[in-house]
Amino acid sequence: MVRRCCSAGSVPLPGDFALVAAHRADELGNLVYRKTARNFGPVMAAAARTTIVQVDDIVPADALDPEHVVTPCLYVDRLVRVDRLVRVDRFVRVDRGPTQSGGPL
């Protein structure tokens, strides 16, 4: 029997991978987020089969306050430390010529 989660009759499917950004992690994989990353990071980490986390800083296992840990190490599979997050400052539109309808994009 399939459990239905909403009135539309759809069943949620787990993702294979979750790519999550966190502020700080300890060596075990416990995560602390900043600002709005707390909204979707923990949910995505729990829903995926494999969770890869990009962090600004990895600290020793006892350095994080347990009260501030949002995602426990149970949901984290890989940690990737980066020096800084790369931000996109501007978008450039590429002109690919006319579309099939003959007009511009």
Side-chain angles (χ1 to χ4, degrees), residues 11-50:
V11 177
L13 300 174
D16 290 331
F17 295 97
L19 304 174
V20 178
H23 173 62
R24 185 174 289 153
D26 63 5
E27 295 169 342
L28 299 175
N30 296 311
L31 303 179
V32 175
Y33 300 95
R34 286 183 62 210
K35 301 183 181 180
T36 60
R38 292 181 74 140
N39 292 337
F40 296 107
V43 175
M44 295 305 294
R49 292 185 180 113
T50 303

Side-chain angles (χ1 to χ4, degrees), residues 20-27 29 31 51-60 76-86:
V20 178
H23 173 62
R24 185 174 289 153
D26 63 5
E27 295 169 342
L31 303 179
T51 302
I52 303 168
V53 182
Q54 172 183 331
V55 294
D56 297 332
D57 192 21
I58 299 176
V59 296
V76 177
D77 296 304
R78 302 282 187 268
L79 290 174
V80 179
R81 186 184 157 278
V82 295
D83 292 332
R84 62 185 173 96
L85 296 175
V86 177

